[in-house]
Amino acid sequence: SEAGGYAEFLRKSRPEIFAEGRVVTSDGKDLGAHEGVAGFTVGQRRGIRISNNSGSPLYVLRVEPAENRVVVGRVDELLRKEVVLENVHWALPVERRMRVMAKIRYNMEAQPATLLRGEVPTIVFDEPVRAVTPGQIAVAYRGKTVAAGGTIAA
């Protein structure tokens, strides 16, 4: 199957992402082992297979392949208003700031935000957005026109 081909390709090309590692809370408490960072995505709730004893559900906050670590926490820890961008493509001239609609995942509905050009290009959402994932693409729109797009920085 195609999915098996993908998993097989990853196992051969990146075996380290299938190595056992640690699941920790955002404040560093060790909760146990995982069977490889390949099985986790930011925002994931199901399949973590570890409890924090407080009864509140755990969500993946960060996946840290270099440390072979998965960081988990409460749902409110997934929320961010500011999204820092790198490798930005400026499609419209932006002096300092521009009101935009922006999205951090292709399948999310665009949300009102301010695009800041500065030394550190940033999208500041009016309301916090969930599961900001480094390495994913964020896009800001002015009407139906793309104003800028870039990679979400770590």
Side-chain angles (χ1 to χ4, degrees):
S1 79
E2 281 182 34
Y6 181 75
E8 226 17 70
F9 171 79
L10 282 178
R11 277 189 194 285
K12 286 185 174 127
S13 63
R14 305 265 324 269
E16 72 280 5
I17 66 175
F18 293 93
E20 185 176 288
R22 305 310 294 169
V23 176
V24 299
T25 60
S26 52
D27 58 6
K29 182 178 166 205
D30 192 306
L31 298 180
H34 66 69
E35 295 174 5
V37 295
F40 296 90
T41 56
V42 173
Q44 172 181 338
R45 178 175 163 213
R46 296 177 188 274
I48 296 174
R49 295 197 285 266
I50 283 187
S51 159
N52 64 350
N53 300 330
S54 76
S56 60
L58 291 173
Y59 294 81
V60 175
L61 304 178
R62 290 189 308 280
V63 178
E64 301 174 339
E67 295 81 11
N68 197 11
R69 189 168 47 216
V70 175
V71 182
V72 298
R74 300 178 320 275
V75 68
D76 60 307
E77 293 180 86
L78 275 175
L79 300 173
R80 299 257 183 290
K81 275 185 115 165
E82 294 194 3
V83 177
V84 175
L85 304 177
E86 53 194 16
N87 305 317
V88 179
H89 172 73
W90 300 95
L92 290 178
V94 177
E95 298 260 333
R96 284 201 174 93
R97 58 180 47 233
M98 176 188 281
R99 287 296 292 165
V100 296
M101 295 295 283
K103 50 202 301 191
I104 58 167
R105 279 183 298 286
Y106 77 95
N107 62 349
M108 90 178 260
E109 187 135 341
Q111 305 292 318
T114 302
L115 176 62
L116 304 176
R117 181 152 189 153
E119 210 172 288
V120 180
T122 305
I123 296 171
V124 181
F125 286 91
D126 293 5
E127 296 296 322
V129 292
R130 190 173 176 274
V132 175
T133 307
Q136 299 279 57
I137 302 297
V139 180
Y141 299 89
R142 197 66 191 261
K144 297 236 180 269
T145 306
V146 171
T151 306
I152 298 172

